[in-house]
Amino acid sequence: MSGPAAKTWQAIESEVRRRIHTRVWAPGDMIPNEQDLADEFGCARATVNRALRSLSDAGLLERRRKAGTRVALHPVRKATLSIPIIRKEIAARGQKPGYRRLLRRSGVPPRDLLERLGGDTDGIFLHVQALHTADGAPFVFEDRWINLDVVPEAAEQPFDEISANEWLVRTAAFTDGEIAFSASAASDEAADHLQCDPGAAIFTIERITRDGTRPITLVWQYYRPGFRMQTTI
Amino acid sequence: MSGPAAKTWQAIESEVRRRIHTRVWAPGDMIPNEQDLADEFGCARATVNRALRSLSDAGLLERRRKAGTRVALHPVRKATLSIPIIRKEIAARGQKPGYRRLLRRSGVPPRDLLERLGGDTDGIFLHVQALHTADGAPFVFEDRWINLDVVPEAAEQPFDEISANEWLVRTAAFTDGEIAFSASAASDEAADHLQCDPGAAIFTIERITRDGTRPITLVWQYYRPGFRMQTTI
DNA sequence: GAGTGGTCTAGACCACTAA
DNA sequence: TAGTGGTCTAGACCACTCC
C-alpha cells in the first residue's frame, strides 16, 4: 500500500519522511537504493535522487556511495538563520527603523583584534560605531572595523545616513566569512547606548568577512536585552 | 576570457560566483536565462539550473519564473547552524563528555510554559533537569519538559545514563520545531549548576519540537559563560 | 499570451568506497 | 572489483507570472 500519489520529487520526499516518521524505516536502517525506489514509485531515478538529496541536506538521511543510504541515527538538527540587514529586520517586526552613527575614526586596531583577523593585516582601519533603533528605542549597538587596504573607498564615506553594513554589501562582495553567536555582559559603553544596566546579558553576533584571505571587516553587534533570534527546524 | 573549464554544475556555480564578485553582474542586474548560459558554457540547461538553484539557495541570486534571474540586491546572509547532540558537541571539541541527571519529576507545567507551547496541552508532563560536563567542568545546564501524552514511554525512563535529548531522538521523531537563541542572566539555580555568578550572561537555546500540532518537548539549554556558537557564511 | 524557471524522463558514464 | 550514489544530456512538458 501507501503508494506516493504523484511522481514529483516533493511527493517522494514526503513519502520517505512519512516512512521515517512512522518507523517503517527506523534510525540506522538502510533504505532501498535509488533504482529500486524509482521502480517502486514508478518514476525516474533522477527524481528519487532529488528527493533523497533533499532529505540528506536536511540531515535525515546519510548517503555514501557504494554503502547506500541509511536513516540518520542522530539527525543533526540544522537551523538556518537568516541574517538580514538590521534595518530590514526592524521593519519586518513592524517597527520604524532608525540609525545614528556614533563614532568614525581611522587608526590601527588593538592587537587582540588583529590576531582574531589573522593573515597579513597591518594597515589602517576605519573604526565605526553606530546605533540602530526600532520605534526610537535602542535595538542594536554596532562596533565595526573596516580594512581600508581592501576597501579604500570607505575612507570617503561618512556612514551618517547609510549603515556600514548596507554600504559594504553593495560595495565589497565578500567570498568567505565567519559568524559567531554568544552572550556577553554589557560593557559600560554598550549599556549606555542600549539604555540598560552594565553587565546585562546581551545577545552578541561577531562577524568577520573576507575577500579571499584579506579581511574586509570585523563587526560586533550587541542586541538590546531580551532579544531572541528565532527560526524553525 | 573566462570560459568555465569543466561542465560540472560546481564549475558553473563557481564561474557565476566569480562574475558576481567581480561585478561583471552587479547587484540588481538581470543575468542571462538558463538556455543562453547553457549555450555559452556548452552544457545542458539542467546543469545550469543546478548551479543557479544552488546560488539561489545561498541567497546570492533571486529567481522568478518569467521574470528571470537577478543578482540579489541585499543578499540575505544565511548561517546554517548544526545543532548536534551535546555529547557529540563536547567530543568534537576533544573533551570528555559527562552527563548527570539532576531532577526528574512528573507534574503539570507552569501556565506561562503551557502558553508558549500552545495548542491543546493539559496533560501531565515529565520535568527533567540535567547537567552536561566537558572534562568534568559544567558545560550545559538543561531544563526540559516532556509531554507524556505524546511520549508515554518516557514515564519509564530514568534518564540517568542517556540524556533525554538522545533518547527522544531515537524514540520520537518530530515533524516540526522552533528554536530560539538568546542571552539570559543566570538564575541562582543555573549559576549553581554552571558554577558561575548569578546574573552572568548565559547563551541560551530554547527549543520546542512537535509531532504535528502536539508538542513533544520544550527545553532550555543554558551554556556555560563564554560559550560561542560558530559557523561560516 | 508568451517567456522564464521548475521538473521529469531515459539513458549514460563517472567517482567513490566497502568488501 | 562491484555496487551505489553523483552527475550530465537532450528533450519535453508544466507552472507561474509579467506584460
Side-chain angles (χ1 to χ4, degrees):
Chain A
M1 303 308 304
S2 76
K7 298 187 284 187
T8 67
W9 69 265
Q10 290 96 336
I12 291 169
E13 176 184 334
S14 163
E15 168 64 14
V16 173
R17 278 199 124 95
R18 194 191 63 78
R19 291 189 188 182
I20 293 173
H21 184 59
T22 59
R23 312 238 135 194
V24 176
W25 294 329
D29 283 2
M30 298 289 309
I31 76 172
N33 70 35
E34 294 189 346
Q35 189 55 61
D36 288 351
L37 287 174
D39 292 345
E40 179 194 340
F41 295 152
C43 68
R45 181 166 79 91
T47 308
V48 172
N49 179 280
R50 180 81 169 82
L52 297 191
R53 182 157 42 78
S54 168
L55 290 167
S56 170
D57 288 346
L60 262 74
L61 295 177
E62 286 169 3
R63 322 193 71 197
R64 286 211 312 270
R65 285 162 157 153
K66 165 73 177 176
T69 301
R70 63 174 62 240
V71 180
L73 210 53
H74 292 303
V76 173
R77 282 85 167 90
K78 287 180 185 161
T80 304
L81 293 173
S82 294
I83 319 285
I85 302 272
I86 290 177
R87 183 169 57 77
K88 296 200 166 190
E89 185 174 355
I90 293 167
R93 291 163 169 259
Q95 298 186 291
K96 183 170 181 299
Y99 171 80
R100 194 164 79 247
R101 198 210 58 208
L102 302 171
L103 177 148
R104 182 187 179 285
R105 187 164 53 196
S106 54
V108 178
R111 169 170 311 219
D112 58 337
L113 190 148
L114 285 174
E115 278 170 14
R116 180 149 287 175
L117 286 174
D120 43 350
T121 52
D122 54 353
I124 301 294
F125 280 62
L126 188 65
H127 187 193
V128 177
Q129 291 185 340
L131 183 70
H132 294 266
T133 58
D135 283 347
F139 190 74
V140 172
F141 168 57
E142 179 175 310
D143 189 14
R144 180 186 294 270
W145 295 80
I146 301 169
N147 188 347
L148 291 177
D149 279 353
V150 179
V151 205
E153 313 93 293
E156 287 140 33
Q157 271 290 329
F159 297 121
D160 50 5
E161 296 284 340
I162 301 175
S163 81
N165 189 352
E166 290 192 55
W167 183 83
L168 281 166
V169 163
R170 289 191 210 152
T171 310
F174 71 89
T175 57
D176 301 295
E178 298 147 33
I179 190 166
F181 305 89
S182 61
S184 62
S187 65
D188 290 347
E189 184 179 41
D192 183 36
H193 296 310
L194 292 174
Q195 293 171 21
C196 66
D197 293 329
I202 299 290
F203 184 77
T204 305
I205 298 181
E206 176 187 323
R207 191 166 22 164
I208 300 175
T209 58
R210 296 197 171 82
D211 175 5
T213 60
R214 302 185 306 164
I216 298 174
T217 186
L218 169 59
V219 60
W220 285 274
Q221 293 174 324
Y222 301 98
Y223 283 77
R224 60 159 174 62
F227 174 81
R228 289 156 52 90
M229 177 160 274
Q230 204 158 352
T231 187
T232 59
I233 48 179
Chain B
M1 292 314 302
S2 78
K7 298 188 284 187
T8 68
W9 68 265
Q10 290 96 335
I12 291 169
E13 174 183 336
S14 162
E15 168 64 13
V16 173
R17 278 197 125 95
R18 194 191 63 78
R19 292 189 188 181
I20 293 172
H21 183 60
T22 60
R23 313 235 135 198
V24 175
W25 295 331
D29 283 1
M30 300 288 309
I31 76 173
N33 71 33
E34 295 189 347
Q35 189 55 61
D36 288 350
L37 287 174
D39 293 344
E40 178 194 341
F41 295 152
C43 67
R45 182 166 80 91
T47 308
V48 172
N49 179 279
R50 181 80 169 82
L52 296 191
R53 181 157 44 77
S54 168
L55 290 166
S56 170
D57 288 345
L60 263 72
L61 294 178
E62 287 169 2
R63 322 194 70 197
R64 287 210 315 269
R65 284 162 155 147
K66 166 71 177 176
T69 301
R70 62 174 63 241
V71 180
L73 210 51
H74 292 302
V76 174
R77 281 86 168 90
K78 287 178 185 162
T80 304
L81 292 174
S82 295
I83 320 286
I85 303 274
I86 290 177
R87 183 169 58 75
K88 296 200 165 191
E89 185 174 355
I90 293 167
R93 292 163 168 259
Q95 298 187 290
K96 184 172 180 299
Y99 171 81
R100 194 164 79 244
R101 199 210 58 209
L102 302 170
L103 177 148
R104 182 187 178 286
R105 188 164 53 196
S106 54
V108 179
R111 168 170 311 222
D112 59 338
L113 189 148
L114 285 174
E115 280 171 13
R116 179 149 288 175
L117 285 174
D120 44 350
T121 52
D122 55 352
I124 302 294
F125 280 63
L126 187 66
H127 188 192
V128 177
Q129 291 184 340
L131 183 70
H132 294 266
T133 58
D135 283 348
F139 190 75
V140 171
F141 168 58
E142 178 175 310
D143 189 15
R144 181 187 294 270
W145 294 81
I146 301 169
N147 188 348
L148 291 177
D149 279 353
V150 180
V151 204
E153 314 93 293
E156 288 140 33
Q157 270 291 327
F159 296 121
D160 50 5
E161 296 283 339
I162 300 176
S163 82
N165 189 351
E166 290 192 54
W167 183 83
L168 282 166
V169 164
R170 290 192 209 150
T171 311
F174 71 89
T175 57
D176 300 295
E178 297 147 34
I179 189 165
F181 305 89
S182 60
S184 62
S187 66
D188 290 348
E189 185 179 41
D192 183 37
H193 295 310
L194 292 173
Q195 292 171 21
C196 65
D197 294 330
I202 298 291
F203 184 78
T204 305
I205 298 181
E206 176 186 324
R207 191 166 22 164
I208 300 175
T209 59
R210 296 197 169 81
D211 176 4
T213 60
R214 303 185 306 163
I216 298 174
T217 187
L218 169 59
V219 59
W220 285 274
Q221 293 174 323
Y222 302 97
Y223 283 77
R224 61 158 173 63
F227 175 80
R228 289 155 52 90
M229 178 159 275
Q230 204 158 353
T231 188
T232 58
I233 49 179

